[in-house]
Each structure stands twice: as C-alpha cells, then as structure tokens.
C-alpha cells in the first residue's frame, strides 16, 4: 500500500520555517515509497535518527548563511529552506546525492570531503567582504575516517 504524503502541508511548514521531527521523517518516508516503487533510478542516502539535533542546529543557522553537506543531505536541505517540492523532484530525477540550490545557499556533493574546500573558499570570500554571513559544513563519518 502506497503511503501518500501531503506535500501541501510540508510546503506550508516550509514557508513558516517550522519543520518538526515528524515532518522530516514523513518526507523521507515519502521518498522511500518512491524508491520502493522503482521511481528513483539514482542512488539515495536517507537521513534517520538525528532530526531533533539537526532542528536545534538549524535554529542557529541564518537564512543568509551558506550550508554545505554530504550525499545524505535531505534534512539539511529542508531545514535550510530548499522548497520541499523542488527537493523531491531533484530526488526523483536521480540527483539525491548532489542537491544544489544557489538561491538558498545550499550545496551538497557525493564526493567525500568534496564540499570542504569549496566551503573554505566561500568562507574566505565572506571574510574578505567583511560579511556577517557564516558557512556551515556537515561532514559524515567517512570523511572523518579518511581525513
């Protein structure tokens, strides 16, 4: 039985910047149903189990700040303001592990530590411009293990 997720309610929460743990899990559950139905041809890496911690972190991240993530970036993208319907379409198009949204200042890569040098360059540029914007980088355990 296919689980139907009401993206309109997610869209409304996105517009209010008010994602709950349950909303994030429901988004990923919807993606899982599309994967199980064979509608996603590319690889996907799902988030799970750190919703509350990420919500707390993203409450500190400004809308003008940059966020760089790994191939497991769906929660990061949603919490930083990538529109749910846009994110879902990118995932359905097979781009789950390389989500980029320039308007939201969000960038992810499937290359282990691939975002780190880009994030450092953006941070240096912001510093040279005397900007108060910040750069946030999320790295996974594989990046930690490989140095």
């Amino acid at each position: 039985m296919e689980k139907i997720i009401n993206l309109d309610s997610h869209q409304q929460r996105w517009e209010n910047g008010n994602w709950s743990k349950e909303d994030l899990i429901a988004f990923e559950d919807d993606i899982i149903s599309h994967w199980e139905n064979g509608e996603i041809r590319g690889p996907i890496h799902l988030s799970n189990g750190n919703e509350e911690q990420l919500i707390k972190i993203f409450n500190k991240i400004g809308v003008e700040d940059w966020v760089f993530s790994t191939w497991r970036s769906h929660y990061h993208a949603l919490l930083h303001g990538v529109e749910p319907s846009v994110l879902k379409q990118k995932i359905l198009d097979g781009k789950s592990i390389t989500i980029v949204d320039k308007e939201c200042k969000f960038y992810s890569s499937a290359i282990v530590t691939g975002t780190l040098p880009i994030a450092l360059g953006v941070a240096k540029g912001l510093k040279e411009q005397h900007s108060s914007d910040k750069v946030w980088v999320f790295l996974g355990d594989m990046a930690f293990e490989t140095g």
Side-chain angles (χ1 to χ4, degrees):
M1 173 185 254
E2 182 176 344
K3 185 175 185 180
I4 305 295
I5 302 297
N6 182 352
L7 270 183
D8 290 337
S9 70
H10 289 295
Q11 183 70 26
Q12 185 177 16
R13 291 192 198 285
W14 169 77
E15 290 168 356
N16 295 331
N18 189 17
W19 283 87
S20 70
K21 174 182 177 177
E22 293 75 21
D23 293 325
L24 293 171
I25 292 170
F27 183 89
E28 290 290 68
D29 285 347
D30 182 46
I31 297 304
I32 290 168
S33 70
H34 289 284
W35 173 261
E36 289 174 345
N37 290 332
E39 300 169 39
I40 302 173
R41 301 238 186 263
I44 59 172
H45 289 272
L46 301 166
S47 298
N48 181 312
N50 63 347
E51 297 84 6
E52 292 172 359
Q53 295 87 349
L54 284 174
I55 289 168
K56 286 180 184 178
I57 292 168
F58 273 86
N59 283 333
K60 298 176 182 181
I61 298 175
V63 293
E64 293 301 318
D65 292 346
W66 283 85
V67 172
F68 291 85
S69 185
T70 65
W71 54 86
R72 197 178 84 156
S73 64
H74 301 168
Y75 285 175
H76 300 152
L78 291 169
L79 289 167
H80 195 53
V82 175
E83 189 174 336
S85 60
V86 171
L87 177 59
K88 181 177 178 177
Q89 190 58 55
K90 287 181 181 192
I91 295 167
L92 292 174
D93 290 342
K95 297 182 175 19
S96 171
I97 60 176
T98 56
I99 303 295
V100 175
D101 189 314
K102 293 178 186 175
E103 289 180 22
C104 289
K105 297 182 178 179
F106 183 84
Y107 186 95
S108 70
S109 172
I111 300 171
V112 176
T113 71
T115 59
L116 193 53
I118 300 166
L120 290 171
V122 170
K124 183 177 183 202
L126 291 172
K127 185 174 182 177
E128 289 175 354
Q129 295 170 6
H130 305 288
S131 174
S132 61
D133 298 347
K134 294 178 178 58
V135 174
W136 298 76
V137 182
F138 294 87
L139 299 173
D141 53 351
M142 185 183 282
F144 174 77
E145 291 293 327
T146 59

